[in-house]
mmCIF file with all atom_site columns, all heavy atoms in Angstrom:
data_model
loop_
_atom_site.group_PDB
_atom_site.id
_atom_site.type_symbol
_atom_site.label_atom_id
_atom_site.label_alt_id
_atom_site.label_comp_id
_atom_site.label_asym_id
_atom_site.label_entity_id
_atom_site.label_seq_id
_atom_site.pdbx_PDB_ins_code
_atom_site.Cartn_x
_atom_site.Cartn_y
_atom_site.Cartn_z
_atom_site.occupancy
_atom_site.B_iso_or_equiv
_atom_site.pdbx_formal_charge
_atom_site.auth_seq_id
_atom_site.auth_comp_id
_atom_site.auth_asym_id
_atom_site.auth_atom_id
_atom_site.pdbx_PDB_model_num
ATOM 1   N N   . GLY A 1 30  ? -5.885  -11.909 -12.671 1.00 97.00 ? 30  GLY A N   1
ATOM 2   C CA  . GLY A 1 30  ? -7.337  -12.173 -12.718 1.00 97.00 ? 30  GLY A CA  1
ATOM 3   C C   . GLY A 1 30  ? -8.138  -11.053 -13.261 1.00 97.00 ? 30  GLY A C   1
ATOM 4   O O   . GLY A 1 30  ? -9.093  -11.253 -14.048 1.00 97.00 ? 30  GLY A O   1
ATOM 5   N N   . PHE A 1 45  ? -14.748 0.591   -22.256 1.00 98.00 ? 45  PHE A N   1
ATOM 6   C CA  . PHE A 1 45  ? -14.487 1.238   -20.884 1.00 98.00 ? 45  PHE A CA  1
ATOM 7   C C   . PHE A 1 45  ? -14.513 2.747   -20.911 1.00 98.00 ? 45  PHE A C   1
ATOM 8   O O   . PHE A 1 45  ? -13.960 3.407   -20.045 1.00 98.00 ? 45  PHE A O   1
ATOM 9   C CB  . PHE A 1 45  ? -13.195 0.739   -20.373 1.00 98.00 ? 45  PHE A CB  1
ATOM 10  C CG  . PHE A 1 45  ? -13.025 -0.714  -20.437 1.00 98.00 ? 45  PHE A CG  1
ATOM 11  C CD1 . PHE A 1 45  ? -11.928 -1.341  -21.109 1.00 98.00 ? 45  PHE A CD1 1
ATOM 12  C CD2 . PHE A 1 45  ? -13.876 -1.655  -19.845 1.00 98.00 ? 45  PHE A CD2 1
ATOM 13  C CE1 . PHE A 1 45  ? -11.918 -2.654  -21.313 1.00 98.00 ? 45  PHE A CE1 1
ATOM 14  C CE2 . PHE A 1 45  ? -13.711 -3.033  -19.953 1.00 98.00 ? 45  PHE A CE2 1
ATOM 15  C CZ  . PHE A 1 45  ? -12.703 -3.599  -20.626 1.00 98.00 ? 45  PHE A CZ  1
ATOM 16  N N   . ARG A 1 51  ? -7.737  8.588   -19.160 1.00 96.00 ? 51  ARG A N   1
ATOM 17  C CA  . ARG A 1 51  ? -7.650  9.288   -18.023 1.00 96.00 ? 51  ARG A CA  1
ATOM 18  C C   . ARG A 1 51  ? -6.711  8.744   -17.088 1.00 96.00 ? 51  ARG A C   1
ATOM 19  O O   . ARG A 1 51  ? -6.156  9.542   -16.102 1.00 96.00 ? 51  ARG A O   1
ATOM 20  C CB  . ARG A 1 51  ? -8.897  9.509   -17.351 1.00 96.00 ? 51  ARG A CB  1
ATOM 21  C CG  . ARG A 1 51  ? -9.939  10.468  -18.002 1.00 96.00 ? 51  ARG A CG  1
ATOM 22  C CD  . ARG A 1 51  ? -11.179 10.630  -17.222 1.00 96.00 ? 51  ARG A CD  1
ATOM 23  N NE  . ARG A 1 51  ? -12.026 9.587   -16.984 1.00 96.00 ? 51  ARG A NE  1
ATOM 24  C CZ  . ARG A 1 51  ? -12.265 8.907   -15.788 1.00 96.00 ? 51  ARG A CZ  1
ATOM 25  N NH1 . ARG A 1 51  ? -11.558 9.384   -14.712 1.00 96.00 ? 51  ARG A NH1 1
ATOM 26  N NH2 . ARG A 1 51  ? -13.040 7.982   -15.608 1.00 96.00 ? 51  ARG A NH2 1
ATOM 27  N N   . ARG A 1 130 ? -13.125 -4.412  -4.509  1.00 98.00 ? 130 ARG A N   1
ATOM 28  C CA  . ARG A 1 130 ? -13.340 -2.907  -4.805  1.00 98.00 ? 130 ARG A CA  1
ATOM 29  C C   . ARG A 1 130 ? -14.429 -2.712  -5.926  1.00 98.00 ? 130 ARG A C   1
ATOM 30  O O   . ARG A 1 130 ? -15.233 -1.819  -5.849  1.00 98.00 ? 130 ARG A O   1
ATOM 31  C CB  . ARG A 1 130 ? -11.984 -2.252  -5.378  1.00 98.00 ? 130 ARG A CB  1
ATOM 32  C CG  . ARG A 1 130 ? -12.100 -0.870  -5.766  1.00 98.00 ? 130 ARG A CG  1
ATOM 33  C CD  . ARG A 1 130 ? -12.004 0.211   -4.772  1.00 98.00 ? 130 ARG A CD  1
ATOM 34  N NE  . ARG A 1 130 ? -13.334 0.406   -4.090  1.00 98.00 ? 130 ARG A NE  1
ATOM 35  C CZ  . ARG A 1 130 ? -14.297 1.264   -4.502  1.00 98.00 ? 130 ARG A CZ  1
ATOM 36  N NH1 . ARG A 1 130 ? -14.087 2.153   -5.472  1.00 98.00 ? 130 ARG A NH1 1
ATOM 37  N NH2 . ARG A 1 130 ? -15.411 1.269   -3.814  1.00 98.00 ? 130 ARG A NH2 1
ATOM 38  N N   . GLU A 1 178 ? -14.066 -19.356 7.128   1.00 95.00 ? 178 GLU A N   1
ATOM 39  C CA  . GLU A 1 178 ? -12.963 -20.126 6.495   1.00 95.00 ? 178 GLU A CA  1
ATOM 40  C C   . GLU A 1 178 ? -13.419 -21.556 6.384   1.00 95.00 ? 178 GLU A C   1
ATOM 41  O O   . GLU A 1 178 ? -13.001 -22.303 5.616   1.00 95.00 ? 178 GLU A O   1
ATOM 42  C CB  . GLU A 1 178 ? -11.798 -19.991 7.375   1.00 95.00 ? 178 GLU A CB  1
ATOM 43  C CG  . GLU A 1 178 ? -10.507 -20.484 6.754   1.00 95.00 ? 178 GLU A CG  1
ATOM 44  C CD  . GLU A 1 178 ? -9.217  -19.906 7.393   1.00 95.00 ? 178 GLU A CD  1
ATOM 45  O OE1 . GLU A 1 178 ? -9.288  -19.055 8.112   1.00 95.00 ? 178 GLU A OE1 1
ATOM 46  O OE2 . GLU A 1 178 ? -8.143  -20.611 7.170   1.00 95.00 ? 178 GLU A OE2 1
ATOM 47  N N   . GLU A 1 198 ? 6.825   -8.790  -16.144 1.00 90.00 ? 198 GLU A N   1
ATOM 48  C CA  . GLU A 1 198 ? 8.142   -9.241  -15.668 1.00 90.00 ? 198 GLU A CA  1
ATOM 49  C C   . GLU A 1 198 ? 7.921   -10.080 -14.389 1.00 90.00 ? 198 GLU A C   1
ATOM 50  O O   . GLU A 1 198 ? 8.621   -11.075 -14.140 1.00 90.00 ? 198 GLU A O   1
ATOM 51  C CB  . GLU A 1 198 ? 9.061   -8.046  -15.349 1.00 90.00 ? 198 GLU A CB  1
ATOM 52  C CG  . GLU A 1 198 ? 9.460   -7.309  -16.661 1.00 90.00 ? 198 GLU A CG  1
ATOM 53  C CD  . GLU A 1 198 ? 9.818   -5.857  -16.335 1.00 90.00 ? 198 GLU A CD  1
ATOM 54  O OE1 . GLU A 1 198 ? 9.560   -5.478  -15.181 1.00 90.00 ? 198 GLU A OE1 1
ATOM 55  O OE2 . GLU A 1 198 ? 10.446  -5.279  -17.262 1.00 90.00 ? 198 GLU A OE2 1
ATOM 56  N N   . GLY A 1 200 ? 5.413   -12.042 -13.472 1.00 94.00 ? 200 GLY A N   1
ATOM 57  C CA  . GLY A 1 200 ? 5.108   -13.424 -13.876 1.00 94.00 ? 200 GLY A CA  1
ATOM 58  C C   . GLY A 1 200 ? 6.095   -14.173 -14.434 1.00 94.00 ? 200 GLY A C   1
ATOM 59  O O   . GLY A 1 200 ? 6.161   -15.418 -14.194 1.00 94.00 ? 200 GLY A O   1
ATOM 60  N N   . ASN A 1 232 ? 1.960   -8.517  -3.989  1.00 97.00 ? 232 ASN A N   1
ATOM 61  C CA  . ASN A 1 232 ? 1.718   -10.011 -4.295  1.00 97.00 ? 232 ASN A CA  1
ATOM 62  C C   . ASN A 1 232 ? 2.425   -10.768 -2.952  1.00 97.00 ? 232 ASN A C   1
ATOM 63  O O   . ASN A 1 232 ? 3.360   -11.482 -3.256  1.00 97.00 ? 232 ASN A O   1
ATOM 64  C CB  . ASN A 1 232 ? 2.336   -10.425 -5.591  1.00 97.00 ? 232 ASN A CB  1
ATOM 65  C CG  . ASN A 1 232 ? 1.755   -11.865 -5.957  1.00 97.00 ? 232 ASN A CG  1
ATOM 66  O OD1 . ASN A 1 232 ? 1.230   -12.514 -5.040  1.00 97.00 ? 232 ASN A OD1 1
ATOM 67  N ND2 . ASN A 1 232 ? 2.036   -12.253 -7.151  1.00 97.00 ? 232 ASN A ND2 1
ATOM 68  N N   . TRP A 1 233 ? 1.904   -10.549 -1.815  1.00 97.00 ? 233 TRP A N   1
ATOM 69  C CA  . TRP A 1 233 ? 2.521   -11.146 -0.676  1.00 97.00 ? 233 TRP A CA  1
ATOM 70  C C   . TRP A 1 233 ? 2.507   -12.708 -0.665  1.00 97.00 ? 233 TRP A C   1
ATOM 71  O O   . TRP A 1 233 ? 3.323   -13.416 -0.235  1.00 97.00 ? 233 TRP A O   1
ATOM 72  C CB  . TRP A 1 233 ? 1.735   -10.647 0.641   1.00 97.00 ? 233 TRP A CB  1
ATOM 73  C CG  . TRP A 1 233 ? 1.666   -9.148  0.638   1.00 97.00 ? 233 TRP A CG  1
ATOM 74  C CD1 . TRP A 1 233 ? 2.542   -8.188  0.159   1.00 97.00 ? 233 TRP A CD1 1
ATOM 75  C CD2 . TRP A 1 233 ? 0.648   -8.334  1.296   1.00 97.00 ? 233 TRP A CD2 1
ATOM 76  N NE1 . TRP A 1 233 ? 2.028   -6.882  0.276   1.00 97.00 ? 233 TRP A NE1 1
ATOM 77  C CE2 . TRP A 1 233 ? 0.913   -7.023  1.066   1.00 97.00 ? 233 TRP A CE2 1
ATOM 78  C CE3 . TRP A 1 233 ? -0.522  -8.697  1.903   1.00 97.00 ? 233 TRP A CE3 1
ATOM 79  C CZ2 . TRP A 1 233 ? 0.202   -5.930  1.541   1.00 97.00 ? 233 TRP A CZ2 1
ATOM 80  C CZ3 . TRP A 1 233 ? -1.451  -7.642  2.425   1.00 97.00 ? 233 TRP A CZ3 1
ATOM 81  C CH2 . TRP A 1 233 ? -0.969  -6.406  2.209   1.00 97.00 ? 233 TRP A CH2 1
ATOM 82  N N   . ARG A 1 300 ? 0.179   -8.904  6.604   1.00 93.00 ? 300 ARG A N   1
ATOM 83  C CA  . ARG A 1 300 ? -1.133  -9.650  6.788   1.00 93.00 ? 300 ARG A CA  1
ATOM 84  C C   . ARG A 1 300 ? -1.545  -9.593  8.289   1.00 93.00 ? 300 ARG A C   1
ATOM 85  O O   . ARG A 1 300 ? -2.614  -10.148 8.485   1.00 93.00 ? 300 ARG A O   1
ATOM 86  C CB  . ARG A 1 300 ? -1.083  -10.999 6.183   1.00 93.00 ? 300 ARG A CB  1
ATOM 87  C CG  . ARG A 1 300 ? -0.203  -11.911 6.902   1.00 93.00 ? 300 ARG A CG  1
ATOM 88  C CD  . ARG A 1 300 ? 0.069   -13.273 6.156   1.00 93.00 ? 300 ARG A CD  1
ATOM 89  N NE  . ARG A 1 300 ? -1.105  -13.918 5.874   1.00 93.00 ? 300 ARG A NE  1
ATOM 90  C CZ  . ARG A 1 300 ? -1.123  -15.255 5.463   1.00 93.00 ? 300 ARG A CZ  1
ATOM 91  N NH1 . ARG A 1 300 ? 0.016   -15.912 5.337   1.00 93.00 ? 300 ARG A NH1 1
ATOM 92  N NH2 . ARG A 1 300 ? -2.199  -15.875 5.388   1.00 93.00 ? 300 ARG A NH2 1
ATOM 93  N N   . LEU A 1 334 ? 11.209  -2.850  14.938  1.00 97.00 ? 334 LEU A N   1
ATOM 94  C CA  . LEU A 1 334 ? 9.998   -2.021  14.395  1.00 97.00 ? 334 LEU A CA  1
ATOM 95  C C   . LEU A 1 334 ? 8.604   -2.829  14.439  1.00 97.00 ? 334 LEU A C   1
ATOM 96  O O   . LEU A 1 334 ? 7.704   -2.141  14.838  1.00 97.00 ? 334 LEU A O   1
ATOM 97  C CB  . LEU A 1 334 ? 10.286  -1.853  12.887  1.00 97.00 ? 334 LEU A CB  1
ATOM 98  C CG  . LEU A 1 334 ? 9.430   -0.945  12.173  1.00 97.00 ? 334 LEU A CG  1
ATOM 99  C CD1 . LEU A 1 334 ? 9.366   0.478   12.754  1.00 97.00 ? 334 LEU A CD1 1
ATOM 100 C CD2 . LEU A 1 334 ? 9.946   -0.721  10.670  1.00 97.00 ? 334 LEU A CD2 1
ATOM 101 N N   . ALA A 1 346 ? 11.440  -3.913  21.995  1.00 97.00 ? 346 ALA A N   1
ATOM 102 C CA  . ALA A 1 346 ? 11.830  -3.204  20.769  1.00 97.00 ? 346 ALA A CA  1
ATOM 103 C C   . ALA A 1 346 ? 13.136  -2.445  21.081  1.00 97.00 ? 346 ALA A C   1
ATOM 104 O O   . ALA A 1 346 ? 13.993  -2.431  20.226  1.00 97.00 ? 346 ALA A O   1
ATOM 105 C CB  . ALA A 1 346 ? 10.680  -2.195  20.322  1.00 97.00 ? 346 ALA A CB  1
ATOM 106 N N   . PHE A 1 354 ? 22.728  -1.497  17.545  1.00 98.00 ? 354 PHE A N   1
ATOM 107 C CA  . PHE A 1 354 ? 23.752  -0.581  17.638  1.00 98.00 ? 354 PHE A CA  1
ATOM 108 C C   . PHE A 1 354 ? 25.140  -1.230  17.932  1.00 98.00 ? 354 PHE A C   1
ATOM 109 O O   . PHE A 1 354 ? 26.230  -0.812  17.398  1.00 98.00 ? 354 PHE A O   1
ATOM 110 C CB  . PHE A 1 354 ? 23.428  0.477   18.730  1.00 98.00 ? 354 PHE A CB  1
ATOM 111 C CG  . PHE A 1 354 ? 22.434  1.467   18.388  1.00 98.00 ? 354 PHE A CG  1
ATOM 112 C CD1 . PHE A 1 354 ? 21.491  1.891   19.306  1.00 98.00 ? 354 PHE A CD1 1
ATOM 113 C CD2 . PHE A 1 354 ? 22.722  2.292   17.232  1.00 98.00 ? 354 PHE A CD2 1
ATOM 114 C CE1 . PHE A 1 354 ? 20.680  2.891   18.909  1.00 98.00 ? 354 PHE A CE1 1
ATOM 115 C CE2 . PHE A 1 354 ? 21.844  3.270   16.938  1.00 98.00 ? 354 PHE A CE2 1
ATOM 116 C CZ  . PHE A 1 354 ? 20.736  3.639   17.779  1.00 98.00 ? 354 PHE A CZ  1
ATOM 117 N N   . GLU A 1 499 ? -12.575 18.241  3.061   1.00 98.00 ? 499 GLU A N   1
ATOM 118 C CA  . GLU A 1 499 ? -12.001 18.950  4.148   1.00 98.00 ? 499 GLU A CA  1
ATOM 119 C C   . GLU A 1 499 ? -12.060 20.420  3.908   1.00 98.00 ? 499 GLU A C   1
ATOM 120 O O   . GLU A 1 499 ? -12.354 21.330  4.827   1.00 98.00 ? 499 GLU A O   1
ATOM 121 C CB  . GLU A 1 499 ? -10.603 18.548  4.327   1.00 98.00 ? 499 GLU A CB  1
ATOM 122 C CG  . GLU A 1 499 ? -10.361 17.100  4.826   1.00 98.00 ? 499 GLU A CG  1
ATOM 123 C CD  . GLU A 1 499 ? -9.028  16.664  4.806   1.00 98.00 ? 499 GLU A CD  1
ATOM 124 O OE1 . GLU A 1 499 ? -8.127  17.366  4.509   1.00 98.00 ? 499 GLU A OE1 1
ATOM 125 O OE2 . GLU A 1 499 ? -8.810  15.440  5.157   1.00 98.00 ? 499 GLU A OE2 1
#
Side-chain angles (χ1 to χ4, degrees):
F45 315 118
R51 283 194 292 112
R130 172 81 278 267
E178 199 166 337
E198 295 160 343
N232 191 349
W233 308 330
R300 66 194 296 198
L334 190 51
F354 279 134
E499 294 170 3

